[in-house]
């Protein structure tokens, strides 16, 4: 499997992939204790990877038909005697049932693949508990972040990283070797104290998505309430017209592009703030505030939610002519035109506005689709840094500009029409322009040569106020040294 096809290792931890000390392991015998879904999937993957597999079960005759024919299914004591590396695929509460095997497990490597049902459910991790029950064994935590589906389908159809930790370096190297032969990327997470962190990973529900989701929901509720006041409550109070039918489709469809547009601008706003901070302090080594640092780390999720809202907006827009209310309005307009004997209601300006508005919107959605696709790990890993940066930064900014044109053509001259101000509230699209236009203006300013060069120097390590040595020739032709400030 090529290196480009493998997932990137976790930041801050060493990947074992490509380690020259790791030698091929295919052909060795691997033991599996357990007969559940994960044990079966693990056995299948090991057999497909060229290992000899012996499965230990309390009822081998009953469970033999669940495993591949190439795997030997026998009693637990017999399975343990045939291998030095054993995957313990049983729940924590059943660890005590293995105590009868303590004598034959001496000196073996036990790979704990278990997970808890709750985060930090126990004071000590499952792996540490297993090590306390079998002190004569070497326990390695690993494979718990890999699903049974991934094991059966191969590393191409799921998470490719296997997080490994143990107090024994040689045991970690052995398990990492096995993981690599199976097609996964072993990642060394350190000593056994990291086991609790590894066991908590599968239990966290979208940890990186909580803030972006709450942000999107907050924006949606704000814009939805604002549009509800303008499109439903205002006609009811001023004209006694019941417009409640607009809530499911029309009000929602007016809200979704607002959320998508603002969320897209929020992807690039933290970069602008970071650049302002670097220019103000004259260094790249000053730590950003925690809120800005968190914001920068959530840009991918914010961008994907922006694309999600934009896609929903496109679907809702296509459904607008399908509504019964829309058909009634068309009939009413046709009857009104016949009564007034109007033969031509063609408005050239409105025709061009809608043509441009729809065309620009399609282009913006296409660019957002490209940004979303390239953010997927499988696609991002096939791009070099320059290609990825061009798509996410340059094309992303172009998408923001085109989205701004889409919004402006939607509003056209209605911002200057006093009838559009319901309860003295401006049209919704005028509010959405504030943040995106700020980002675009800042980007234009940063593109000026004088500011762009200074920002580039800072990002290459230049610091304001730092003193550097220089050498000048004297009148006698000799050279003398001195110091000067780097911001001169």
């Amino acid at each position: 499997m090529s290196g480009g096809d493998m997932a990137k290792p976790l930041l801050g931890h060493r990947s074992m992939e490509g380690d020259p000390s790791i030698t091929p392991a295919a052909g060795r015998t691997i033991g599996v204790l357990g007969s559940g879904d994960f044990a079966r999937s693990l056995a299948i993957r090991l057999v497909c990877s060229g290992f000899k597999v012996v499965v230990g079960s309390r009822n081998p005759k009953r469970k033999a038909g669940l495993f591949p024919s190439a795997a030997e299914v026998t009693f637990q004591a017999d399975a343990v005697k045939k291998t030095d590396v054993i995957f313990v695929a049983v729940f924590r509460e059943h660890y005590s049932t293995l105590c009868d095997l303590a004598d034959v497990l001496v000196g073996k490597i036990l790979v704990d693949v278990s997970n808890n049902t709750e985060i930090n459910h126990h004071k000590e991790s499952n792996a540490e508990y297993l090590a306390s029950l079998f002190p004569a064994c070497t326990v390695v935590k690993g494979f718990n972040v890999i699903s049974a589906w991934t094991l059966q389908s191969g590393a191409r159809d799921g998470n490719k990283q296997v997080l490994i930790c143990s107090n024994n370096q040689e045991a970690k190297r052995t398990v990492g070797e096995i993981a690599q032969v199976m097609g996964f990327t072993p990642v060394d997470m350190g000593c056994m104290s990291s086991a609790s962190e590894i066991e908590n990973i599968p239990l966290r529900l979208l940890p990186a998505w909580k803030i972006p989701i709450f942000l999107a929901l907050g924006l949606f509720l704000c814009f939805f309430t604002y549009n509800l006041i303008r499109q439903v409550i205002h006609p009811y109070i001023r004209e006694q017209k019941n417009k409640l039918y607009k809530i499911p489709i029309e009000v929602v469809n007016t809200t979704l592009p607002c959320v998508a547009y603002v969320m897209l601008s929020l992807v690039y706003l933290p970069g602008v703030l970071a650049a302002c901070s670097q220019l103000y302090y004259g260094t790249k080594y000053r730590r950003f505030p925690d809120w800005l640092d968190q914001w920068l780390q959530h840009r991918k999720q914010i961008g994907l939610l922006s694309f999600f809202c934009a896609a929903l907006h496109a679907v809702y827009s296509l459904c607008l002519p399908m509504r019964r209310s829309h058909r009634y309005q068309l009939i009413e307009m046709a009857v009104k035109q016949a009564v007034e004997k109007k033969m031509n209601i063609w408005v050239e300006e409105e025709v061009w506005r809608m043509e441009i508005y729809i065309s620009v919107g399609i282009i913006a959605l296409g660019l957002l689709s490209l940004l979303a696709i390239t953010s997927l790990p499988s696609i991002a890993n096939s791009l070099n840094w320059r290609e990825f940066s061009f798509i996410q930064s340059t094309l992303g900014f172009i998408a923001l500009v085109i989205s701004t044109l889409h919004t402006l053509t939607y509003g056209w001259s209605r911002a200057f029409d006093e009838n559009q101000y319901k309860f003295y509230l401006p049209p919704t699209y005028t509010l959405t322009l504030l943040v995106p236009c700020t980002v675009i203006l800042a980007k234009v300013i940063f593109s000026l040569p004088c500011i762009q060069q200074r920002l580039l120097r800072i990002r290459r390590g230049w610091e304001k106020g730092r003193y550097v040595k220089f050498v000048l020739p004297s009148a006698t032709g000799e050279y003398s040294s001195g110091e000067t400030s780097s911001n001169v």
Side-chain angles (χ1 to χ4, degrees), residues 218-481:
L219 287 173
F220 183 86
L221 290 176
C222 290
F223 283 118
F224 182 84
T225 303
Y226 192 86
N227 291 323
L228 184 68
I229 294 173
R230 285 178 46 84
Q231 299 181 30
V232 178
I233 297 178
H234 180 270
Y236 182 78
I237 294 178
R238 292 295 176 86
E239 304 173 12
Q240 279 66 52
K241 292 183 178 181
N242 186 358
K243 300 288 187 180
L244 291 175
Y245 69 88
K246 290 187 175 183
I247 294 178
I249 300 294
E250 194 166 335
V251 176
V252 172
N253 190 46
T254 309
T255 302
L256 286 172
C258 299
V259 178
Y261 186 37
V262 174
M263 291 284 284
L264 180 60
S265 65
L266 292 179
V267 173
Y268 299 96
L269 181 58
V272 170
L273 297 178
C276 291
S277 174
Q278 292 176 340
L279 288 171
Y280 179 78
Y281 292 106
T283 180
K284 71 172 184 177
Y285 300 107
R286 183 183 177 92
R287 183 178 177 85
F288 296 133
D290 291 337
W291 59 269
L292 181 57
D293 191 52
Q294 289 291 324
W295 194 350
L296 289 167
Q297 294 179 26
H298 288 96
R299 287 180 295 178
K300 173 183 175 179
Q301 289 77 16
I302 295 175
L304 289 175
L305 288 174
S306 172
F307 168 70
F308 175 71
C309 292
L312 286 181
H313 169 56
V315 175
Y316 269 84
S317 299
L318 291 174
C319 294
L320 288 177
M322 299 168 58
R323 298 176 303 155
R324 183 66 62 181
S325 58
H326 180 75
R327 297 178 184 180
Y328 288 154
Q329 288 172 352
L330 286 178
I331 296 174
E332 183 181 356
M333 185 182 300
V335 171
K336 184 178 180 181
Q337 181 182 351
V339 171
E340 296 177 356
K341 297 182 179 180
K342 291 184 178 180
M343 301 302 297
N344 187 8
I345 60 171
W346 183 280
V347 181
E348 190 74 18
E349 180 181 348
E350 280 297 302
V351 170
W352 276 101
R353 181 183 74 85
M354 287 302 298
E355 295 291 326
I356 297 174
Y357 164 72
I358 295 175
S359 177
V360 174
I362 293 173
I363 296 174
L365 182 60
L367 289 175
L368 285 177
S369 303
L370 181 61
L371 295 175
I373 292 173
T374 53
S375 67
L376 299 176
S378 58
I379 304 299
N381 290 341
S382 65
L383 303 174
N384 61 40
W385 172 246
R386 185 173 183 181
E387 293 169 341
F388 182 80
S389 178
F390 172 77
I391 294 174
Q392 294 294 326
S393 181
T394 306
L395 291 185
F397 178 69
I398 294 175
L400 181 61
V401 173
I402 293 179
S403 299
T404 302
L405 295 176
H406 178 64
T407 305
L408 291 174
T409 52
Y410 170 79
W412 207 252
S413 60
R414 286 184 289 179
F416 308 102
D417 184 2
E418 62 180 11
N419 294 326
Q420 297 295 322
Y421 289 77
K422 312 294 179 62
F423 291 137
Y424 302 102
L425 298 176
T428 312
Y429 76 91
T430 60
L431 301 180
T432 62
L433 287 168
L434 296 177
V435 178
C437 288
T438 301
V439 173
I440 293 174
L441 179 61
K443 288 281 190 178
V444 171
I445 294 175
F446 290 156
S447 65
L448 297 177
C450 56
I451 297 180
Q452 186 180 36
Q453 291 298 322
R454 182 179 179 87
L455 190 60
L456 184 61
R457 291 175 60 197
I458 291 174
R459 290 175 176 174
R460 288 183 175 179
W462 178 87
E463 293 184 86
K464 180 174 66 175
R466 186 184 65 180
Y467 284 86
V468 296
K469 291 185 178 182
F470 65 93
V471 179
L472 293 176
S474 63
T476 60
E478 299 179 351
Y479 289 87
S480 61
S481 64

